[in-house]
Amino acid sequence: MNRTTSVSWPLRILCFLIALWLVGPMFIVIPLSFTGQASFTFPPQSWSLDYYRNFFTDPAWTDALWTSVRLGVAVTIAATIIGTAAAIALVRGRMRGKTVVTGALMAPMLLPQIIVALAIYIAFLRLGLVGTYTGFFLAHTALAIPFVLVPVMASLRTLDPDVEHAAAGLGASPASVLWHITARLAAPGILSGAVFAFATSFDEVVISIYLQSPLLRTLPVQMYTSVTTNTDPTIAAASAIILTVTTLLILVPQLVSGRVVKD
Amino acid sequence: MHMQLDHQLTKPPTAGPVRRLGTAVRVYTGVSPALIAVGLAFLYPTALLVWLSFTDPQPGLGNYTALFSDSLAMTVIARTLRMAGTVTIVTALLAYAYAYVMTAVGTRMRAVMLVLVLMPFWTSLMARTFAWVVLLQERGPIDDLFSLTPIGSVELLGTTTGVTIAMTQVMMPFFVLPLFASLRGIDRRLIDAALGMGARPIVAFFKVYLPLSLPGILAGAAMVFTLSLGFYVTPELLGTPRESMVARLMASKVDPLLQFGAAGALAVVVLLITLALLGVILAVLKVRGGVETTGGSK
């Protein structure tokens, strides 16, 4: 149904207000990040770049940023490769218990976050992984796998298997079919899976709060700690930077290609 | 599901048990790294938590009997269910209006609305929660705004109302997306038919449109309710310890109390509530699916 029907004015206004409430509030961090005072007073009484300087010089913030970036990249690579392999096997292969395996791999996405976080904390205490980079890496990778699995499986399902069969019929080895045909044609799904994987790791708070140590902290954990312990506006600078970067990452590709979001 | 079926139909039959075994081995090779990662960092921890609820500090149902006789825990669970219910209802109303308009406007406008509703989905949860801290704080913008009106100063940071406002915003995409998918599949000619046969618009909505959108409503509600139950960061930063939610209670059993078994029992109860709810919703959808064939998303 693509027919345009008339929408009454009260409903239009309501939707406009909803849209404003969805997007508006977060942009308050941008003016606040230029404050000259050591408080969250809004609107700021004076202006400065102090908190941007602090964000890029204070080791507590720079270490956290660096940890998050490093971890995000590692998790993206691991989760994309592992998730894509699993997606190909689950969509193309025939095996018993496919539904059970798919369900098990999707589960991290479906359970309440706090339960996952506490379970991981208790288990990783026993395995000696709390406060370690390996612990973060394992937990974030497991969490990111479903976010790779969903788009890759979706794009594999729309892909015509006859193309693969044709390549195999013309003498391509299974590995070559997988690399030259399947992976190439599923590339959009794999790419969006990779983006989701990075976002999942970079944004994860609850599990990371439990896995952190004073020496190893991700950016969201540093933000959480900061807002619970003091009113240092550096968090506003951090939020403003993250918001700007993500907004650009989402909007620019769409503006450049002039492509409308597929519905 | 039907996509998978289609695929299996188009795939030529594999011949011979040997080849089938070979395929199976390769399939498991593909899945096993994912299973190892998820197993180590998710399945084992969850199983351990459940196991501890029956064994720590001593074997038996002690953690469960203690939990059900703990009136504070019961109050917290009831409060969390109430809060999750409120968030679900408010989200449902706003999402319904929004998703309906999405089906009625042109392609360009719809694309813009989709990007807007997905914005919170893509942007950092911490940045958004922090923005709410600034907005809701005492003498913050919202407080100032209300101070200008006869309503006077409003206290929102550190209240359940504040948590509800912020959580509803966080939950919107999870409701709008399934609902939009469901509304888009509704054949508008059915409404036209109802109107043509003399039904008032309000009657046509409640008797025809709303029942047809039920699958979308239930899918969205299930998602939002489940997510709200286990939400940790937003209530922690915007709420108050005096009115804590089940996530906080569970966390405090682990750290600093180190009562892993008690935390496990609480987690199991929350999971059972979630599963029961999902079971009811699936049953409703199944019953309706048997009666109607037009509903649901296409």
Side-chain angles (χ1 to χ4, degrees):
Chain A
M1 295 303 289
N2 266 328
R3 198 178 57 165
T4 307
T5 27
S6 64
V7 180
S8 65
W9 276 105
L11 202 52
R12 271 171 205 264
I13 293 165
L14 177 66
C15 273
F16 177 75
L17 290 176
I18 293 174
L20 198 68
W21 162 77
L22 280 172
V23 182
M26 48 199 180
F27 288 100
I28 197 174
V29 299
I30 293 175
L32 183 64
S33 66
F34 294 106
T35 186
Q37 297 150 279
S39 76
F40 297 155
T41 307
F42 193 90
Q45 311 293 314
S46 60
W47 305 91
S48 78
L49 286 171
D50 290 358
Y51 297 101
Y52 281 92
R53 197 173 303 121
N54 194 42
F55 179 73
F56 288 110
T57 51
D58 180 351
W61 289 96
T62 51
D63 287 357
L65 176 65
W66 175 233
T67 305
S68 271
V69 170
R70 209 164 42 130
L71 186 65
V73 170
V75 167
T76 305
I77 294 170
T80 307
I81 294 172
I82 293 174
T84 303
I88 292 174
L90 285 170
V91 173
R92 287 288 181 264
R94 312 174 124 205
M95 65 192 271
R96 280 165 193 278
K98 213 183 216 181
T99 329
V100 178
V101 173
T102 315
L105 293 181
M106 299 296 288
M109 199 159 95
L110 303 172
L111 280 193
Q113 280 272 290
I114 184 66
I115 296 182
V116 179
L118 294 176
I120 289 178
Y121 176 66
I122 293 169
F124 280 18
L125 272 181
R126 299 192 163 197
L127 300 172
L129 289 172
V130 171
T132 66
Y133 187 78
T134 316
F136 271 106
F137 174 72
L138 258 177
H140 283 198
T141 303
L143 203 67
I145 284 173
F147 289 94
V148 176
L149 212 54
V150 172
V152 178
M153 282 176 85
S155 72
L156 282 176
R157 282 194 182 126
T158 57
L159 201 159
D160 186 356
D162 284 345
V163 180
E164 290 162 321
H165 295 146
L170 291 169
S173 68
S176 159
V177 172
L178 202 64
W179 178 246
H180 288 291
I181 311 291
T182 316
R184 295 291 152 93
L185 290 175
I190 297 173
L191 189 69
S192 67
V195 172
F196 277 128
F198 185 82
T200 305
S201 167
F202 197 75
D203 197 25
E204 207 292 320
V205 203
V206 190
I207 296 171
S208 306
I209 289 174
Y210 283 93
L211 291 181
Q212 66 160 327
S213 77
L215 294 175
L216 193 64
R217 234 173 222 180
T218 61
L219 188 56
V221 174
Q222 172 61 24
M223 290 167 83
Y224 184 87
T225 313
S226 163
V227 79
T228 46
T229 50
N230 55 44
T231 55
D232 174 5
T234 308
I235 186 185
S239 301
I241 293 169
I242 295 176
L243 266 184
T244 312
V245 170
T246 40
T247 309
L248 289 178
L249 282 180
I250 296 160
L251 290 184
V252 167
Q254 288 182 7
L255 293 178
V256 168
S257 67
R259 195 175 48 123
V260 197
V261 184
K262 258 199 332 203
D263 64 338
Chain B
M1 268 334 245
H2 65 276
M3 296 280 271
Q4 209 165 354
L5 212 70
D6 285 349
H7 168 63
Q8 270 158 7
L9 287 176
T10 52
K11 197 175 173 168
T14 331
V18 177
R19 178 136 176 231
R20 206 169 299 153
L21 182 71
T23 325
V25 169
R26 258 183 281 137
V27 167
Y28 283 111
T29 324
V31 192
S32 48
L35 273 181
I36 292 170
V38 174
L40 206 61
F42 176 77
L43 299 174
Y44 161 67
T46 318
L48 178 67
L49 189 64
V50 174
W51 170 252
L52 287 175
S53 78
F54 294 106
T55 56
D56 176 73
Q58 55 225 9
L61 292 172
N63 287 315
Y64 290 89
T65 50
L67 176 61
F68 285 108
S69 55
D70 177 357
S71 65
L72 173 73
M74 289 297 117
T75 313
V76 171
I77 290 177
R79 183 189 294 138
T80 311
L81 289 174
R82 210 162 46 232
M83 193 267 307
T86 314
V87 170
T88 308
I89 292 167
V90 178
T91 315
L93 293 173
L94 297 175
Y96 207 100
Y98 197 85
Y100 171 76
V101 172
M102 275 178 77
T103 66
V105 295
T107 324
R108 279 198 83 88
M109 192 60 206
R110 179 182 307 152
V112 172
M113 289 182 77
L114 194 64
V115 171
L116 287 179
V117 78
L118 284 173
M119 273 297 278
F121 206 58
W122 278 318
T123 41
S124 152
L125 178 67
M126 266 316 300
R128 270 182 296 145
T129 312
F130 172 66
W132 279 114
V133 170
V134 177
L135 279 166
L136 299 177
Q137 68 184 330
E138 205 183 323
R139 304 209 36 77
I142 293 180
D143 192 5
D144 282 348
L145 201 69
F146 275 96
S147 299
L148 298 175
T149 69
I151 302 169
S153 172
V154 284
E155 198 182 308
L156 286 169
L157 189 62
T159 66
T160 308
T161 314
V163 176
T164 309
I165 294 173
M167 266 180 72
T168 309
Q169 189 222 27
V170 175
M171 294 299 167
M172 273 294 274
F174 298 100
F175 214 121
V176 170
L177 293 185
L179 189 58
F180 171 65
S182 172
L183 294 186
R184 203 165 47 141
I186 295 179
D187 190 342
R188 268 196 190 283
R189 284 171 303 183
L190 293 170
I191 316 288
D192 294 342
L195 293 173
M197 287 191 278
R200 279 179 294 134
I202 188 97
V203 175
F205 175 76
F206 279 105
K207 292 263 178 187
V208 182
Y209 197 78
L210 190 64
L212 287 174
S213 64
L214 199 63
I217 299 177
L218 290 177
M223 193 86 183
V224 169
F225 193 84
T226 317
L227 285 171
S228 305
L229 279 186
F231 233 60
Y232 182 74
V233 173
T234 312
E236 198 72 352
L237 294 183
L238 301 176
T240 155
R242 277 177 289 115
E243 290 184 23
S244 63
M245 299 295 159
V246 81
R248 167 97 298 268
L249 185 64
M250 223 183 281
S252 66
K253 299 257 187 239
V254 171
D255 181 29
L257 296 174
L258 298 176
Q259 296 170 347
F260 295 164
L266 204 50
V268 168
V269 170
V270 171
L271 282 183
L272 288 180
I273 294 173
T274 313
L275 285 179
L277 186 87
L278 292 179
V280 169
I281 285 174
L282 279 179
V284 171
L285 286 179
K286 207 167 265 176
V287 168
R288 292 187 52 85
V291 189
E292 281 168 22
T293 45
T294 41
S297 55
K298 201 183 79 69

CSV table of all heavy atoms in Angstrom, one decimal, chain B residues 13 21 31 53 57 90 92 95 113 116 137 149 164 215 224 228-229 260-261 267 278:
chain,number,residue,atom,x,y,z
B,13,PRO,N,17.9,-31.6,-4.4
B,13,PRO,CA,18.2,-32.6,-3.3
B,13,PRO,C,19.6,-33.1,-3.3
B,13,PRO,O,20.2,-33.3,-4.3
B,13,PRO,CB,17.2,-33.7,-3.7
B,13,PRO,CG,16.8,-33.5,-5.1
B,13,PRO,CD,17.0,-32.1,-5.4
B,21,LEU,N,26.6,-36.4,5.1
B,21,LEU,CA,27.4,-36.3,6.3
B,21,LEU,C,28.5,-35.3,6.1
B,21,LEU,O,28.8,-34.5,7.0
B,21,LEU,CB,28.1,-37.7,6.5
B,21,LEU,CG,29.0,-37.8,7.8
B,21,LEU,CD1,28.1,-37.7,9.0
B,21,LEU,CD2,29.8,-39.1,7.8
B,31,VAL,N,29.4,-23.1,12.0
B,31,VAL,CA,28.7,-22.6,13.2
B,31,VAL,C,29.6,-22.7,14.4
B,31,VAL,O,29.4,-21.8,15.3
B,31,VAL,CB,27.4,-23.4,13.4
B,31,VAL,CG1,26.5,-22.7,14.4
B,31,VAL,CG2,26.7,-23.6,12.1
B,53,SER,N,21.4,-20.7,41.6
B,53,SER,CA,20.1,-20.4,42.3
B,53,SER,C,19.6,-21.6,43.1
B,53,SER,O,18.9,-21.4,44.0
B,53,SER,CB,19.1,-19.8,41.3
B,53,SER,OG,18.5,-20.9,40.6
B,57,PRO,N,23.8,-20.7,48.7
B,57,PRO,CA,24.9,-21.3,49.4
B,57,PRO,C,24.7,-22.8,49.7
B,57,PRO,O,25.7,-23.5,50.0
B,57,PRO,CB,24.9,-20.6,50.8
B,57,PRO,CG,23.5,-20.1,50.9
B,57,PRO,CD,22.9,-19.9,49.6
B,90,VAL,N,2.4,3.7,27.4
B,90,VAL,CA,2.7,5.0,26.8
B,90,VAL,C,3.3,4.9,25.4
B,90,VAL,O,3.0,5.6,24.5
B,90,VAL,CB,3.6,5.9,27.8
B,90,VAL,CG1,3.9,7.2,27.2
B,90,VAL,CG2,2.8,6.1,29.1
B,92,ALA,N,3.1,2.4,23.4
B,92,ALA,CA,2.1,1.9,22.5
B,92,ALA,C,1.3,3.0,21.9
B,92,ALA,O,1.1,3.1,20.6
B,92,ALA,CB,1.2,0.9,23.1
B,95,ALA,N,3.6,5.3,19.7
B,95,ALA,CA,4.1,4.5,18.5
B,95,ALA,C,2.9,4.3,17.5
B,95,ALA,O,3.1,4.3,16.3
B,95,ALA,CB,4.7,3.2,19.0
B,113,MET,N,10.8,10.0,8.5
B,113,MET,CA,10.2,9.6,9.8
B,113,MET,C,10.9,8.3,10.3
B,113,MET,O,11.1,8.1,11.5
B,113,MET,CB,8.7,9.3,9.7
B,113,MET,CG,7.9,10.6,9.5
B,113,MET,SD,6.1,10.2,9.4
B,113,MET,CE,5.7,9.9,11.2
B,116,LEU,N,14.3,9.4,11.7
B,116,LEU,CA,14.1,10.0,13.0
B,116,LEU,C,13.8,9.0,14.1
B,116,LEU,O,14.4,9.1,15.2
B,116,LEU,CB,12.9,11.0,12.9
B,116,LEU,CG,13.2,12.3,12.2
B,116,LEU,CD1,12.0,13.2,12.1
B,116,LEU,CD2,14.4,13.1,12.8
B,137,GLN,N,17.1,17.6,35.5
B,137,GLN,CA,17.7,18.1,36.8
B,137,GLN,C,17.0,19.3,37.4
B,137,GLN,O,16.3,20.0,36.7
B,137,GLN,CB,19.2,18.4,36.6
B,137,GLN,CG,19.4,19.7,35.8
B,137,GLN,CD,20.8,20.0,35.5
B,137,GLN,OE1,21.7,19.7,36.3
B,137,GLN,NE2,21.1,20.7,34.4
B,149,THR,N,5.0,28.4,34.2
B,149,THR,CA,3.6,28.2,34.1
B,149,THR,C,3.0,28.1,35.5
B,149,THR,O,3.8,28.0,36.5
B,149,THR,CB,3.3,26.8,33.4
B,149,THR,OG1,3.8,25.8,34.3
B,149,THR,CG2,4.0,26.7,32.1
B,164,THR,N,10.4,7.0,33.5
B,164,THR,CA,9.4,6.6,32.5
B,164,THR,C,9.5,7.4,31.3
B,164,THR,O,9.5,6.9,30.2
B,164,THR,CB,8.0,6.7,33.1
B,164,THR,OG1,7.9,6.0,34.4
B,164,THR,CG2,6.9,6.1,32.2
B,215,PRO,N,-1.4,-8.0,15.8
B,215,PRO,CA,-0.1,-8.7,15.8
B,215,PRO,C,1.1,-7.7,16.0
B,215,PRO,O,2.0,-8.0,16.8
B,215,PRO,CB,0.0,-9.4,14.4
B,215,PRO,CG,-1.4,-9.5,14.0
B,215,PRO,CD,-2.1,-8.4,14.6
B,224,VAL,N,9.1,-4.3,24.1
B,224,VAL,CA,9.3,-3.2,25.1
B,224,VAL,C,9.2,-3.6,26.5
B,224,VAL,O,10.0,-3.2,27.4
B,224,VAL,CB,8.3,-2.0,24.7
B,224,VAL,CG1,8.3,-1.0,25.8
B,224,VAL,CG2,8.6,-1.4,23.4
B,228,SER,N,12.2,-3.4,29.1
B,228,SER,CA,12.0,-2.5,30.3
B,228,SER,C,12.3,-3.2,31.6
B,228,SER,O,12.8,-2.6,32.5
B,228,SER,CB,10.6,-2.0,30.3
B,228,SER,OG,10.3,-1.3,29.1
B,229,LEU,N,11.9,-4.5,31.7
B,229,LEU,CA,12.1,-5.3,32.9
B,229,LEU,C,13.5,-5.3,33.3
B,229,LEU,O,13.9,-5.2,34.5
B,229,LEU,CB,11.6,-6.7,32.7
B,229,LEU,CG,10.1,-7.0,32.9
B,229,LEU,CD1,9.8,-8.5,32.8
B,229,LEU,CD2,9.6,-6.4,34.2
B,260,PHE,N,25.2,-14.9,45.2
B,260,PHE,CA,25.0,-15.3,43.8
B,260,PHE,C,23.8,-16.1,43.6
B,260,PHE,O,23.0,-15.9,42.6
B,260,PHE,CB,26.2,-16.0,43.2
B,260,PHE,CG,27.5,-15.2,43.2
B,260,PHE,CD1,28.7,-15.8,43.1
B,260,PHE,CD2,27.4,-13.8,43.3
B,260,PHE,CE1,29.9,-15.1,43.0
B,260,PHE,CE2,28.6,-13.1,43.2
B,260,PHE,CZ,29.8,-13.7,43.1
B,261,GLY,N,23.5,-17.0,44.6
B,261,GLY,CA,22.3,-17.8,44.5
B,261,GLY,C,21.0,-17.0,44.5
B,261,GLY,O,20.1,-17.2,43.7
B,267,ALA,N,16.8,-13.7,39.0
B,267,ALA,CA,16.9,-13.7,37.5
B,267,ALA,C,15.9,-14.7,36.9
B,267,ALA,O,15.3,-14.5,35.9
B,267,ALA,CB,18.3,-14.0,37.1
B,278,LEU,N,5.5,-13.9,26.9
B,278,LEU,CA,5.7,-14.2,25.5
B,278,LEU,C,4.8,-15.4,25.1
B,278,LEU,O,4.2,-15.4,24.0
B,278,LEU,CB,7.1,-14.6,25.2
B,278,LEU,CG,8.1,-13.4,25.4
B,278,LEU,CD1,9.5,-13.9,25.1
B,278,LEU,CD2,7.7,-12.3,24.4
